[in-house]
Amino acid sequence: MTPVELHDDAIVIDGLIIAKWSRELLEDMRKGGLTAANCTVSVWEGFQATVDNIVKSNALMHECSDLVRPVHTTADIIRAKEEGKTGIIFGFQNAHAFEDQIGYVEIFKQLGVGVVQMCYNTQNLVGTGCYERDGGLSGFGREIVAEMNRVGILCDLSHVGAKTSEEVILESQKPVCYSHCLPSGLKEHPRNKSDEELKFIADHGGFVGVTMFTPFLRAGVDATIDDYVEAIEYVMNIVGEDAIGIGTDFTQGHGHDFFEWLTHDKGYARRLTRFGKIINPEGIRTIGEFPNLTEALLKRGLSETQVRKIMGENWVRVLRDVWGS
């Protein structure tokens, strides 16, 4: 089977996309052969603003029903593959939208939210992000984890502090994930995860999606798709071939103002970090170039079975474990 044939045949899942929504973006998802993607609908927004984002996203999905379908179960992912569409999973990058209401967790699950990151860079009512002194998981946070387990929402720890992450991993009765991270063994950065952290989540039944966000890659803005594959292989050697997948963190279509919003606490307060130039690795600059990743993994010497697992099969399994269907 050629790389193109393998990519066309495989389940391809991107565990984190925060690109600017438009028909053009959804067309590019189809060009890239994406079976499903976790698409961010909330970062700093509260309950009402997040609901508004979901309403807008639903409207675009209705308009573009020839390209995409909503995903509530893993059966919907398989259905998307059969229909030649991309399944859209709604995800949060912050539990802030739950506010202080545990009951909101189930409401958002009913609206199609399948993945929620516990914190985004800083402190919230649940715990602490990676750019702040880490006080760990709060008592309220433990209740939120239990409720997410109950209704079937995956706990994401990508931007979460090390102590809070450890406590979520231990607290959760279902698998949790880093949906989009890179190893600090290749580059030291507050957003990257140590070998010990990667091993800990895998040892406790968790999952790691590897990002290609160039500020966190060893080669930075000079990175190519091969540098991304190097990071994937590095993580796989720690967590194993069954606990790894893709979480690109595609920001396609966004400009300077968007990144200014992301790099400030709550979108407007103190500056947390600077990214500099944002450019994706050469060879996978756009979502439409996703087939190049399958080819690059095969060129690296990974087996067809390993490539299928990394590109999406592992995501399906962990989502089924958490969602229950």
Side-chain angles (χ1 to χ4, degrees), residues 108-242:
F108 278 121
K109 172 66 175 181
Q110 292 168 347
L111 293 177
V113 176
V115 183
V116 170
Q117 186 167 255
M118 310 312 289
C119 313
Y120 189 81
N121 294 341
T122 60
Q123 187 80 41
N124 64 18
L125 296 177
V126 166
T128 313
C130 61
Y131 285 108
E132 195 146 34
R133 185 176 63 183
D134 192 347
L137 186 66
S138 70
F140 175 72
R142 292 178 197 282
E143 294 181 81
I144 289 290
V145 170
E147 183 68 355
M148 288 172 65
N149 283 176
R150 184 185 76 81
V151 305
I153 295 178
L154 177 63
C155 297
D156 182 4
L157 304 170
S158 304
H159 286 249
V160 178
K163 184 65 176 171
T164 299
S165 294
E166 178 188 345
E167 293 182 356
V168 171
I169 292 165
L170 294 174
E171 188 71 23
S172 181
Q173 299 301 304
K174 292 188 176 180
V176 303
C177 77
Y178 297 125
S179 70
H180 58 299
C181 76
L182 281 165
S184 57
L186 290 179
K187 182 174 182 176
E188 272 295 333
H189 192 283
R191 267 280 284 113
N192 290 352
K193 309 299 180 183
S194 68
D195 291 4
E196 293 74 21
E197 288 174 296
L198 294 168
K199 187 173 187 307
F200 189 80
I201 196 170
D203 286 349
H204 288 80
F207 183 86
V208 180
V210 185
T211 185
M212 61 175 199
F213 195 59
T214 52
F216 311 150
L217 279 170
R218 177 157 65 176
V221 295
D222 297 322
T224 69
I225 196 168
D226 293 324
D227 295 297
Y228 183 31
V229 170
E230 175 193 38
I232 292 169
E233 189 175 50
Y234 183 99
V235 172
M236 186 177 73
N237 287 337
I238 295 171
V239 306
E241 66 182 53
D242 295 319

Side-chain angles (χ1 to χ4, degrees), residues 46-62:
F47 177 85
Q48 183 62 60
T50 299
V51 171
D52 292 343
N53 285 346
I54 290 172
V55 169
K56 290 175 190 170
S57 299
N58 280 338
L60 184 61
M61 282 202 290
H62 288 317

Side-chain angles (χ1 to χ4, degrees), residues 3-125:
V4 171
E5 289 170 337
L6 177 58
H7 188 84
D8 288 345
D9 187 61
I11 299 286
V12 179
I13 297 180
D14 193 333
L16 198 287
I17 289 180
I18 191 172
K20 188 173 183 177
W21 266 42
S22 65
R23 181 171 179 92
E24 291 71 30
L25 177 78
L26 303 182
E27 287 172 346
D28 214 35
M29 287 184 183
R30 292 310 312 135
K31 180 182 176 185
L34 259 67
T35 311
N38 167 25
C39 297
T40 300
V41 292
S42 184
V43 181
W44 299 116
E45 296 92 342
F47 177 85
Q48 183 62 60
T50 299
V51 171
D52 292 343
N53 285 346
I54 290 172
V55 169
K56 290 175 190 170
S57 299
N58 280 338
L60 184 61
M61 282 202 290
H62 288 317
E63 290 173 20
C64 302
S65 60
D66 57 318
L67 301 172
V68 295
R69 62 165 297 125
V71 167
H72 294 259
T73 66
T74 53
D76 291 332
I77 295 174
I78 305 306
R79 213 165 284 129
K81 181 68 179 177
E82 292 169 351
E83 294 170 353
K85 297 179 181 179
T86 298
I88 302 297
I89 305 160
F90 288 154
F92 295 176
Q93 289 206 53
N94 200 340
H96 183 65
F98 295 151
E99 298 183 356
D100 61 355
Q101 301 294 320
I102 293 169
Y104 287 176
V105 177
E106 186 169 19
I107 294 298
F108 278 121
K109 172 66 175 181
Q110 292 168 347
L111 293 177
V113 176
V115 183
V116 170
Q117 186 167 255
M118 310 312 289
C119 313
Y120 189 81
N121 294 341
T122 60
Q123 187 80 41
N124 64 18
L125 296 177

